[in-house]
Amino acid sequence: SAIFIDSLASGSKFIGFAQGASGFFYITPGTDNITLERSQVQLYFSGSASSTFVRLSNWTISKCYITYWQWPAAFYAENLSLTNCILTGTNQIVPGNIISALVRNNLFYNVPVIYGNSYFANNILVTTLTVDLSLSTVKNCIATGNLLPAGSGNQNSVSQNDLIVGPTGKSTD
């Protein structure tokens, strides 16, 4: 099932949604101050932009499992907070469309990681796809490839088996 969010929903909190493989949040321009927590979602920013520069401000996405994220070229994020999430599947964010963001404590699994102009910290990147963190402060992150800037506590080329706990990981349980 689909949920359509427009500017009249600004200021809303969505907690505990499980949309499954076919449900989407469709978000239109001018939808600000949204909180999305503890949900399994697919996000699709849609609608016709009135100009070539449409801001979506003050979004907080926390503790979510995101399997699809479509972000068209005319949409820009300002004060985006993406924390404690797992992102997998399709993640299409246009490089340069982040004005400012806090991206912390997330797992990016086999998705492009495109979060310029961000404070990008304590994230795990298990991907071989595009990574663009231009103009971002990147600290204490771990990646399976050589994807992160050197220094600031970042670790590149860490084995996936050392990161993932489970039947093929380093679990001792």
Side-chain angles (χ1 to χ4, degrees):
S1 64
I3 296 173
F4 293 85
I5 305 172
D6 63 15
S7 61
L8 295 175
S10 291
S12 296
K13 291 185 178 186
F14 300 90
I15 301 172
F17 281 89
Q19 292 181 287
S22 62
F24 281 91
F25 270 87
Y26 288 95
I27 299 117
T28 59
T31 308
D32 298 326
N33 303 310
I34 297 291
T35 299
L36 179 61
E37 290 183 3
R38 299 176 191 246
S39 297
Q40 177 184 352
V41 295
Q42 300 183 71
L43 302 172
Y44 184 78
F45 292 83
S46 65
S48 58
S50 57
S51 69
T52 57
F53 184 79
V54 176
R55 290 184 189 203
L56 295 172
S57 299
N58 305 314
W59 274 68
T60 300
I61 303 171
S62 179
K63 302 176 197 98
C64 290
Y65 182 65
I66 301 171
T67 58
Y68 184 93
W69 190 329
Q70 172 72 40
W71 193 283
F75 287 59
Y76 290 81
E78 181 177 46
N79 300 325
L80 169 69
S81 175
L82 178 68
T83 59
N84 303 304
C85 294
I86 297 172
L87 291 91
T88 187
T90 301
N91 186 348
Q92 299 174 357
I93 296 178
V94 176
N97 282 25
I98 305 289
I99 296 171
S100 59
L102 168 66
V103 183
R104 184 173 57 200
N105 302 328
N106 300 292
L107 169 63
F108 296 91
Y109 188 80
N110 203 28
V111 295
V113 180
I114 303 170
Y115 293 92
N117 300 314
S118 302
Y119 181 79
F120 192 89
N122 306 325
N123 295 296
I124 299 172
L125 288 70
V126 181
T127 187
T128 57
L129 302 173
T130 302
V131 173
D132 182 352
L133 299 169
S134 6
L135 303 174
S136 293
T137 299
V138 182
K139 292 185 173 186
N140 303 316
C141 294
I142 299 172
T144 55
N146 190 16
L147 306 170
L148 301 168
S152 298
N154 297 316
Q155 297 180 39
N156 281 305
S157 301
V158 176
S159 166
Q160 182 174 334
N161 289 337
D162 291 335
L163 296 174
I164 308 298
V165 175
T168 60
K170 300 289 184 180
S171 175
T172 57
D173 295 343

